[in-house]
Amino acid sequence: MDTRRSSEPSSSSSPSSPSSFSRKQIKPLKQGMPPSLGGSMPMYTLFGITALSLLGIVLVHNQQNVEKQQLHSGVVRDIERLRLREERERITKQQSRS
């Protein structure tokens, strides 16, 4: 009688029984994400990059609005200076005529 165990499952046990295979069961991977990205770190990294990008956009937008207001105030000052100069010229012409 041979006491060695056979590496093949015996024909009497079904292949799905746990005692028939000595292999470890392989756990399925999470769907849609590779195993190296299974943690929450990529999500936090994406959130951080997105937040910093939005912050940069808001800061640049605000800076452009400030510059636009400064440029517009310069135009308003120039128009006022021209108006005053024309008024002074008109006054001096009237005084020279009289």
Side-chain angles (χ1 to χ4, degrees), residues 6-8 12 16 18 22 28 34-35 38 44 52 56 58 62 64 67 70 72-73 76 79-80 87 91:
S6 169
S7 62
E8 296 178 9
S12 63
S16 63
S22 62
Y44 292 136
L52 289 175
V58 167
N62 289 338
Q64 286 178 345
E67 290 175 0
Q70 289 173 346
H72 181 68
S73 66
V76 170
I79 291 172
E80 183 64 24
E87 186 177 333
I91 292 172

Side-chain angles (χ1 to χ4, degrees), residues 16-95:
S16 63
S17 69
S19 63
S20 65
F21 293 107
S22 62
R23 297 181 193 173
K24 293 182 180 178
Q25 293 292 328
I26 299 174
K27 293 182 181 179
L29 297 175
K30 291 181 180 179
Q31 291 294 329
M33 193 171 273
S36 62
L37 299 178
S40 59
M41 190 63 167
M43 181 181 63
Y44 292 136
T45 303
L46 178 63
F47 176 73
I49 290 170
T50 303
L52 289 175
S53 297
L54 289 175
L55 178 66
I57 290 169
V58 167
L59 291 176
V60 168
H61 177 71
N62 289 338
Q63 182 63 35
Q64 286 178 345
N65 282 339
V66 167
E67 290 175 0
K68 181 180 175 183
Q69 290 172 353
Q70 289 173 346
L71 289 171
H72 181 68
S73 66
V75 170
V76 170
R77 279 193 312 265
D78 288 345
I79 291 172
E80 183 64 24
R81 285 181 192 155
L82 285 174
R83 188 187 64 78
L84 289 174
R85 187 168 92 189
E86 289 172 356
E87 186 177 333
R88 278 190 234 120
E89 288 175 0
R90 186 180 50 84
I91 292 172
T92 56
K93 281 183 183 179
Q94 285 179 353
Q95 288 176 351

